[in-house]
Amino acid sequence: MWSTNKAKHVLVADDEEHTRLTLSLVLRKAGFKVTAAGHGSEALNLILELANGPTPVDLLLVDLQMPGLTGLELVGELERQKIPLPVFLMCGYLDNEIVADAMRRGCVGYLEKPFEPEELLSRIN
């Protein structure tokens, strides 16, 4: 877990409402502050809006396939704008090529859907 006692802020970006709600619930119960976005462009806008406020985003959980910006396109945009943010990529199917590309683009980890809440919390901690 991160070293401070302040609740860490996780942004969940997924176009599936059920997934967003489930992840938000699991993370909140574990003590995280959670913001949710339904697509990549919304996630980018939220990251930019929150960057200079009292609760900037500390971690991004992003789905690979979303309308607007895909998860990897969002990671690329964060890199272009020099926004250092740990990112976990989520996808229903991850092959070695996708994982390698995600890591080259700066993702710190990945989760293959479906996953158990315990796996999510263990990986992000």
Side-chain angles (χ1 to χ4, degrees):
M1 178 82 109
W2 289 285
S3 60
T4 65
N5 290 332
K6 179 184 145 222
K8 294 300 177 180
H9 190 173
V10 179
L11 175 60
V12 175
D14 196 306
D15 59 323
E16 295 178 15
E17 183 177 14
H18 177 69
T19 301
R20 281 193 318 273
L21 293 174
T22 300
L23 289 173
S24 295
L25 177 65
V26 166
L27 291 165
R28 283 187 181 107
K29 286 182 81 171
F32 293 94
K33 175 176 175 42
V34 180
T35 300
H39 54 81
S41 299
E42 181 183 9
L44 179 60
N45 288 338
L46 285 167
I47 291 165
L48 294 171
E49 285 175 24
L50 296 167
N52 296 315
T55 57
V57 175
D58 297 304
L59 175 69
L60 173 61
L61 291 176
V62 63
D63 189 28
L64 177 64
Q65 296 298 326
M66 294 185 295
L69 292 174
T70 67
L72 288 178
E73 289 170 341
L74 175 55
V75 169
E77 189 58 33
L78 293 173
E79 183 180 33
R80 276 188 289 289
Q81 294 196 33
K82 299 189 182 341
I83 300 170
L85 184 61
V87 178
F88 265 82
L89 186 67
M90 303 179 294
C91 186
Y93 173 75
L94 290 170
D95 63 26
N96 290 338
E97 188 174 318
I98 293 170
V99 170
D101 188 29
M103 297 302 150
R104 275 193 303 275
R105 292 175 182 238
C107 290
V108 296
Y110 60 91
L111 292 160
E112 192 164 353
K113 295 178 186 177
F115 48 83
E116 294 296 321
E118 296 80 16
E119 180 184 4
L120 167 69
L121 295 173
S122 171
R123 299 283 301 278
I124 66 172
N125 281 325

